[in-house]
Amino acid sequence: MTVLRFVLGDQLDRNVSALADLAPGDVVLGCEVAAEATYVRHHKQKIAFLFSAMRHFFAGLEADGYVVDYRRYGRHATFTEAVVAAVKAHGATRVVVTEPGEWRVLEEMRGFEAAAGVPVEIRSDDRFFADHSDFRRFAEGRKELRMEYFYRDLRRTTGILMDEDGNPAGERWNYDQENRKALPKGAAAPARPSFPPDEVTAEVIAFVAEEFADHFGTLEAFDWPVTRGDALVALDAFVDTCLPTFGDFQDAMKAGEPHLFHSLLSPMINCGLLRPREVVDRAVAAWEAGAAPLNAVEGFVRQILGWREFIRGVYWLKMPAYRDTNALGAARPLPSFYWTGETDMRCMAEAIGATRDHAYAHHIQRLMVTGNFALLAGIAPAEIEEWYLVVYADAYEWVELPNVHGMAIFADGGVFASKPYAASGSYIDRMSDYCGGCRYDVKAKVGEEACPFNYLYWNFLMEARERLARNPRVGMIYRTLDKMDDDRVAAIRQSAKTFLDGMDDPPLT
Ligand code: FAD
Ligand code: DLZ
Ligand code: SF4
């Protein structure tokens, strides 16, 4: 009666539901498969991070006496093939798995039973605060889905940052208003612990460099924690050194400083090395000990308890139809500078360069630089979504898709965002030091020297008028647009056309 317990690369948690009742004699299966590594051309660091984390995780189980069948890259093309082969090899009479994060993989998992010829139990993933039915209940009967209300429900049900009378800590639910400060001149990000590759990681890096040579990204700066122990070190260091100022400078951007005060924990949370609950608890404990202010801690907790849970809820509520919507009719191909970073727009070059070198960019770079540009330029949803799925070490469709499709490019027509996050160059100038060193002039509105975000912003609003003008949160902007004289409108349209038609030409400088 051998039970085969199949653990995916983003389920590297000893408490994952597939291992809940692990018994002597059961076999734990992990496998590196071609289909997962190549269904998009993931950043080299993303594959190296995950393969190394997987090898460490399964080796740890084996060292602790469990029976492990770990299959390295090259043996199996797909999960199904690996499960069928492992069932046969061990004479397994049953397979137990935890539901996957992605729709695509769930579809495949539903075919395991027929392929392997033994019963397959798919358990829910209890690493999240809310399950699918919690979100369905929340969504039922609501015209609009808003993160803030789901977040408040979760605060109430978990008691996180709640006082004894059932009120939010500090009498306010949300401290976002205090979390939009620009970085003072000369301020620098704190030093972080480094996680240089050990032998296992070095072997994986060499393998990835060769096997996935044509994938995006570099491996030289690889510095991710790949074990639970190191992930906990990273969590502690973040709480001690970055969390106290996380809130204040959450939206700030600085040239040459892609990390600032952000946690860099998403790859480890998403693959199972850290549990969201322990990360949140650690941050709350810092506030209770007086080591971090409430605006920082609430801001951080909201990202995990609020946004992360909400985004997952939207994904599973709306898939599979969700990814096919294109509310703004965007159809432009992705310009090649998203892959090379070769553009005169310094903000884009900074965000894409950091992405290439670290498989990381922080939220505001993703949303208000590369995402904003894709929105304003009308990049086809499928093309920009694939880019985001490829380039970040934390990218899985369940979290990438709603963030891109819904939040960044409004392709869902406003399932959860009340208006598009469209912004001109002045937003980027206010929140960063990029514009000072840019070839473009952020103050100029039209013409060859003007910041492209400026005319693309107004051009986008003109193009999307029919779809957006009735939106009460955008109406005022259209009144401003209506006050512009015809010459100005024509100059905006011309500048946008010239730029968009020529944006795949080599950069000018
Ligand atoms: P911090 O700023 O330190 O935030 C703490 C944690 O909060 C993160 O580790 C993450 O777990 C969570 N979090 C914060 N914002 C979000 C959010 N909007 N959705 C879900 N979780 C959130 N996050 C991913 O994990 N994978 C993705 O593929 C991804 N794609 C994105 C694409 C776009 C266009 C945008 C706008 C956001 C995307 N995000 C994604 C959300 C967010 O940008 C990243 O989680 C964050 O930048 C990770 O860096 P960090 O760990 O330093 O985050
Ligand atoms: C992202 C990824 C990659 C690159 N490779 C593997 C792999 O070889 N084996 C594996 O178990 N998981 C991998 N993953 C993560 C899966 O894609 C992830 O488990 C599914 O997308 C479900 O979220
Ligand atoms: Fe970006 Fe415009 Fe600023 Fe240049 S001037 S960095 S393009 S916002």
Side-chain angles (χ1 to χ4, degrees):
M1 291 292 282
T2 302
V3 180
L4 183 71
R5 298 175 181 273
F6 179 32
V7 176
L8 302 183
D10 56 356
Q11 299 175 345
L12 308 179
D13 179 339
R14 291 229 182 163
N15 295 315
V16 77
S17 57
L19 299 179
D21 45 0
L22 184 59
D26 292 355
V27 177
V28 186
L29 171 70
C31 57
E32 300 165 7
V33 298
E36 293 309 302
T38 59
Y39 73 91
V40 292
R41 296 197 311 165
H42 304 284
H43 194 300
K44 294 187 191 82
Q45 282 196 36
K46 178 179 174 187
I47 303 179
F49 165 72
L50 213 63
F51 282 10
S52 179
M54 288 171 74
R55 290 182 188 190
H56 280 98
F57 175 80
F58 287 97
L61 277 173
E62 199 160 23
D64 287 345
Y66 297 101
V67 183
V68 169
D69 180 352
Y70 187 75
R71 296 175 177 234
R72 285 191 177 196
Y73 201 77
R75 286 180 71 183
H76 299 296
T78 63
F79 285 148
T80 308
E81 242 185 69
V83 168
V84 169
V87 164
K88 205 165 154 208
H90 302 288
T93 49
R94 199 158 71 87
V95 175
V96 176
V97 290
T98 293
E99 62 173 326
E102 300 188 349
W103 182 270
R104 175 184 65 81
V105 181
L106 182 61
E107 296 272 271
E108 184 179 349
M109 242 180 208
R110 286 180 174 144
F112 282 177
E113 198 161 288
V118 295
V120 175
E121 183 189 349
I122 303 179
R123 295 182 175 169
S124 63
D125 189 346
D126 60 9
R127 290 175 297 161
F128 291 86
F129 289 92
D131 60 27
H132 301 315
S133 59
D134 292 331
F135 197 80
R136 271 197 302 273
R137 257 195 312 279
F138 164 77
E140 214 167 80
R142 284 179 198 259
K143 270 217 231 100
E144 299 172 329
L145 300 178
R146 293 290 176 260
M147 185 282 295
E148 183 65 26
Y149 299 113
F150 189 56
Y151 168 57
R152 289 183 191 183
D153 283 355
L154 286 179
R155 292 266 299 270
R156 287 190 194 95
T157 53
T158 59
I160 292 169
L161 289 180
M162 300 295 289
D163 69 20
E164 280 159 9
D165 302 325
N167 296 316
E171 301 294 322
R172 269 166 65 190
W173 289 103
N174 184 315
Y175 288 78
D176 210 23
Q177 291 298 337
E178 290 165 34
N179 291 357
R180 293 176 187 162
K181 296 189 180 78
L183 209 63
K185 259 206 170 75
R192 289 172 187 269
S194 184
F195 302 96
D198 64 3
E199 245 177 65
V200 173
T201 306
E203 187 191 344
V204 169
I205 286 178
F207 170 72
V208 168
E210 201 170 307
E211 182 73 29
F212 305 103
D214 61 342
H215 284 216
F216 175 74
T218 59
L219 284 157
E220 284 69 26
F222 187 100
D223 196 26
W224 294 106
V226 290
T227 62
R228 174 154 169 82
D230 279 353
L232 287 168
V233 171
L235 170 60
D236 279 351
F238 163 73
V239 170
D240 291 346
T241 58
C242 298
L243 182 62
T245 22
F246 173 88
D248 288 354
F249 305 124
Q250 202 177 336
D251 290 2
M253 297 176 280
K254 184 172 159 71
E257 296 270 12
H259 303 139
L260 288 176
F261 300 92
H262 291 270
S263 70
L264 274 67
L265 294 176
S266 52
M268 287 81 83
I269 299 174
N270 292 352
C271 82
L273 293 182
L274 292 174
R275 283 213 159 204
R277 176 86 213 202
E278 74 188 333
V279 176
V280 164
D281 285 350
R282 186 75 181 73
V284 172
W287 170 63
E288 285 168 350
L294 189 53
N295 74 305
V297 172
E298 187 283 318
F300 182 73
V301 166
R302 180 166 13 95
Q303 304 314 309
I304 297 178
L305 182 62
W307 277 113
R308 191 171 184 273
E309 294 289 325
F310 178 81
I311 286 288
R312 177 179 186 249
V314 169
Y315 178 80
W316 285 104
L317 186 73
K318 297 290 179 186
M319 279 295 278
Y322 189 66
R323 66 180 161 213
D324 296 328
T325 54
N326 187 357
L328 299 177
R332 194 177 297 281
L334 188 73
S336 56
F337 57 72
Y338 270 82
W339 298 111
T340 62
E342 286 170 23
T343 163
D344 285 344
M345 292 177 283
R346 191 170 180 225
C347 51
M348 291 288 282
E350 280 284 332
I352 296 166
T355 301
R356 177 196 58 223
D357 296 342
H358 301 287
Y360 178 85
H362 71 63
H363 186 71
I364 294 301
Q365 291 177 303
R366 297 187 201 196
L367 182 63
M368 300 310 291
V369 179
T370 45
N372 185 25
F373 184 87
L375 170 74
L376 301 186
I379 308 299
E383 297 217 6
I384 188 66
E385 282 150 24
E386 179 166 322
W387 185 80
Y388 276 102
L389 196 54
V390 164
V391 301
Y392 293 115
D394 60 23
Y396 299 88
E397 193 189 60
W398 69 265
V399 54
E400 167 274 327
L401 187 69
N403 269 302
V404 181
H405 198 79
M407 196 186 305
I409 61 169
F410 209 69
D412 64 4
V415 166
F416 65 92
S418 57
K419 67 178 177 65
Y421 279 89
S424 68
S426 62
Y427 172 85
I428 295 173
D429 191 29
R430 193 165 64 248
M431 298 313 301
S432 78
D433 65 354
Y434 297 151
C435 300
C438 184
R439 165 232 183 281
Y440 294 108
D441 179 357
V442 73
K443 301 273 185 262
K445 307 295 179 211
V446 290
E448 221 176 85
E449 298 306 313
C451 166
F453 282 86
N454 289 344
Y455 48 75
L456 289 179
Y457 171 76
W458 289 111
N459 185 64
F460 162 75
L461 289 167
M462 291 177 206
E463 298 280 313
R465 180 163 206 140
E466 234 175 74
R467 291 163 166 118
L468 292 180
R470 277 190 308 273
N471 180 324
R473 296 206 55 206
V474 193
M476 216 170 74
I477 306 171
Y478 279 105
R479 285 195 284 283
T480 308
L481 181 61
D482 289 340
K483 286 183 198 139
M484 284 184 193
D485 61 41
D486 292 350
D487 287 352
R488 186 155 193 87
V489 168
I492 288 169
R493 281 195 186 280
Q494 187 54 51
S495 292
K497 181 170 174 6
T498 306
F499 180 86
L500 292 171
D501 287 352
M503 76 179 161
D504 245 341
D505 295 344
L508 298 170
T509 51

